[in-house]
Amino acid sequence: MSTVNSVDLHYDAIVVGLGKTGLSCFRYLSNQGLSVAITDSRETPPELSKLKEEFESAPTYLGQINEEALLASDQIILSPGISLDHKSIKLSIENNIPVFGDIELFCQEAKAPIIAISGSNGKSTVTTMVAEMTRSAGLKTYVGGNIGTPALDLLDDTIPDLYVLELSSFQLETTFSLNAHASVVLNISPDHMDRYSSFHEYADAKKRIYLGQGFMVVNKDEEYFHSIIDDSREIIYFTLTTPEEGNYGLIMHDKEIWLSHGSKKIINKNQLKIKGEHNVSNALAAMALAETVDVPKDVMTGVLKEFVGLAHRCQLIKVINDVTWYNDSKATNVESCIASIKGLSELGDIILIAGGDSKEADLSCLRAIIEKYVKKVFLLGIDASKLASFIGPDIEKKFVKNMNEAVAEAGKIASSGDIVLLSPACSSLDMYTNYQQRGDAFISAVNALSNNV
């Protein structure tokens, strides 16, 4: 592979960022016969060795995003982790060089209907639910985007019946041709405030998922829902209250709560293996999306009765001496932490492990929910002190250096019937490679604790 320091070539395209998505973009464009370069601010980006294996002579500009190489290209393919506000990207836009992302490339090529899912929280869960429902109904369904397989790699196989894509706000920023068969924004709460100038800007990026003319699946419980309604489109609502006919929600029957389609019962809430109001809302959204491709209700209920949730998302790890340990490492923002606390609060008193990189988010909303449901908080990570100041002096708390110490200290004070919950409300990148590694560290510590009991 050539690592190029000076630019003396013209490129059909340049990919910015050499992670999994960037590699998939480079591969896709190269296989189309285009001359493609790649640039990354890192000297050794994560997919460099794989790029070298596949494309030995790939032109690479590493150590900084190479402005000269950008300006020597006909188009720029931006990885989701790179902001449109980066000075070199802004300069390229000012020079009328088109900038878009992998999802835009995918939308231009995809030959099957797309179900598109976004939201601050719950999108991976709903994406997986919809995939399982549609596959159980006999549809050949490919899943990717912000979860699992990069979207462009899905195009390598035969054409399926359906694509189900999880899409982040970062991906949606650079997408213009999305015309999904059905789209949903599950919820919007402040997140990635280190990237966006305002909550309004972040929300606007999410709402781009509704581009096109397909079904709009809308959370009626969210404040924003009035602002996105298009009366010319087919709209399906979901709500945690009683739904209107043709929409999804909750009804009471014989003193029990049922998930329903209008007034028709579908599944008893107690039959769901996933817990918490947020997961009930996720199930309703998944059914609304599955309806748009004619998945029968009995197939939906069959999936929901068996769905146990995803790793690192309110994941039951173990019960030790009648203390239950839950891994919710994916709770990288305040709202997801609040949802987890509320969802588990009916099962016992909560001991919370939280902290990390808050991404400049407002943490003050945590105070009331922690005061109501949490008996003690163990705090770790770069913003532990910031989190402590927001939740106030009246909440019992202790600073810990690492996950092993957090788990050990929580185990010492936990009583029979308690829940120990890792739900950080923060990103993991100050201490870990990703939230999965953080969750794995928690699981290892809990397993070590149980071995010593």
Side-chain angles (χ1 to χ4, degrees):
M1 176 189 297
S2 59
T3 300
V4 186
N5 295 316
S6 61
V7 180
D8 53 8
L9 296 173
H10 176 85
Y11 300 108
D12 294 324
I14 186 166
V15 177
V16 183
L18 185 47
K20 286 185 178 180
T21 298
L23 177 60
S24 72
C25 293
F26 190 96
R27 181 187 299 121
Y28 174 78
L29 294 167
S30 294
N31 290 342
Q32 289 189 325
L34 301 182
S35 62
V36 190
I38 197 158
T39 184
D40 197 297
S41 60
R42 298 163 289 191
E43 291 284 355
T44 54
E47 299 300 318
L48 182 60
S49 61
K50 286 187 180 179
L51 179 71
K52 183 177 180 179
E53 289 173 12
E54 290 187 48
F55 305 96
E56 186 176 355
S57 61
T60 59
Y61 301 85
L62 305 177
Q64 63 178 9
I65 294 176
N66 191 298
E67 205 167 86
E68 190 179 351
L70 297 181
L71 296 174
S73 303
D74 290 338
Q75 55 188 334
I76 296 169
I77 316 302
L78 196 62
S79 294
I82 314 298
S83 173
L84 284 165
D85 286 332
H86 188 285
K87 63 180 182 63
S88 297
I89 303 302
K90 290 175 75 173
L91 177 63
S92 301
I93 293 171
E94 290 169 4
N95 279 270
N96 298 314
I97 299 173
V99 177
F100 44 87
D102 71 312
I103 302 304
E104 174 62 20
L105 289 174
F106 177 86
C107 292
Q108 292 175 11
E109 180 64 24
K111 299 295 192 297
I114 298 168
I115 288 181
I117 298 160
S118 195
S120 299
N121 302 300
K123 52 188 178 289
S124 294
T125 295
V126 173
T127 299
T128 306
M129 283 180 175
V130 172
E132 292 190 11
M133 289 176 181
T134 55
R135 285 169 176 163
S136 295
L139 296 175
K140 185 177 182 180
T141 302
Y142 292 169
V143 181
N146 195 50
I147 181 176
T149 307
L152 289 172
D153 288 349
L154 300 177
L155 299 174
D156 292 342
D157 213 332
T158 56
I159 299 172
D161 297 315
L162 184 70
Y163 293 107
V164 180
L165 298 185
E166 175 187 318
L167 300 178
S168 69
S169 59
F170 298 167
Q171 289 170 312
L172 288 165
E173 287 175 15
T174 54
T175 301
F176 309 94
S177 302
L178 178 62
N179 184 15
H181 173 78
S183 301
V184 67
V185 176
L186 299 168
N187 45 65
I188 304 179
S189 58
D191 198 6
H192 304 297
M193 290 300 102
D194 53 343
R195 168 123 165 194
Y196 294 100
S197 61
S198 67
F199 175 70
H200 180 75
E201 183 184 17
Y202 169 62
D204 282 347
K206 288 286 188 192
K207 293 174 187 177
R208 292 179 60 82
I209 204 168
Y210 291 117
L211 293 168
Q213 296 300 316
F215 287 92
M216 299 179 72
V217 175
V218 178
N219 186 347
K220 203 170 185 179
D221 298 334
E222 289 282 312
E223 292 181 6
Y224 68 81
F225 90 90
H226 289 292
S227 68
I228 62 172
I229 300 305
D230 182 345
D231 291 334
S232 69
R233 305 271 293 275
E234 292 189 74
I235 301 171
I236 304 173
Y237 295 103
F238 63 100
T239 175
L240 291 173
T241 61
T242 304
E244 297 176 358
E245 290 303 320
N247 299 298
Y248 288 82
L250 303 179
I251 60 174
M252 187 73 71
H253 180 77
D254 289 341
K255 298 183 180 179
E256 292 188 315
I257 298 172
W258 288 75
L259 283 68
S260 72
H261 186 216
S263 58
K264 185 177 180 180
K265 303 191 302 294
I266 300 176
I267 183 172
N268 192 306
K269 179 184 173 185
N270 293 328
Q271 292 179 289
L272 298 177
K273 291 186 177 179
I274 48 176
K275 302 302 179 185
E277 281 193 345
H278 61 301
N279 276 322
V280 174
S281 183
N282 289 338
L284 293 166
M287 288 192 292
L289 291 164
E291 177 195 316
T292 70
V293 288
D294 301 319
V295 174
K297 297 293 193 298
D298 63 330
V299 173
M300 298 181 192
T301 58
V303 169
L304 292 177
K305 286 177 182 177
E306 298 301 319
F307 188 78
V308 296
L310 304 180
H312 309 294
R313 295 162 175 84
C314 245
Q315 176 189 16
L316 173 61
I317 301 305
K318 192 165 284 190
V319 179
I320 307 171
N321 292 338
D322 201 33
V323 175
T324 308
W325 297 76
Y326 279 92
N327 165 28
D328 194 37
S329 182
K330 184 62 172 67
T332 57
N333 58 49
V334 169
E335 288 301 318
S336 55
C337 176
I338 290 173
S340 297
I341 293 171
K342 289 174 70 175
L344 295 175
S345 63
E346 59 191 43
L347 305 179
D349 292 332
I350 292 174
I351 298 166
L352 179 66
I353 299 172
D357 181 356
S358 65
K359 300 175 289 185
E360 300 183 20
D362 180 2
L363 302 172
S364 59
C365 296
L366 284 168
R367 182 168 186 166
I369 199 81
I370 289 176
E371 284 182 345
K372 187 172 183 179
Y373 296 118
V374 175
K375 60 191 280 186
K376 186 165 182 174
V377 184
F378 291 95
L379 297 166
L380 73 167
I382 192 170
D383 282 337
S385 296
K386 180 180 176 182
L387 188 55
S389 66
F390 272 104
I391 63 179
D394 298 331
I395 297 165
E396 189 177 354
K397 62 184 78 68
K398 183 174 182 178
F399 294 100
V400 291
K401 294 178 181 177
N402 53 49
M403 192 65 71
N404 287 337
E405 184 182 352
V407 167
E409 292 297 316
K412 289 177 184 177
I413 68 162
S415 304
S416 177
D418 283 352
I419 291 167
V420 181
L421 170 64
L422 169 66
S423 192
C426 295
S427 163
S428 59
L429 300 181
D430 58 322
M431 296 178 69
Y432 300 95
T433 303
N434 49 40
Y435 72 84
Q436 293 98 327
Q437 188 185 60
R438 176 171 63 187
D440 289 342
F442 175 75
I443 293 169
S444 295
V446 172
N447 287 334
L449 186 71
S450 66
N451 293 335
N452 294 327
V453 173

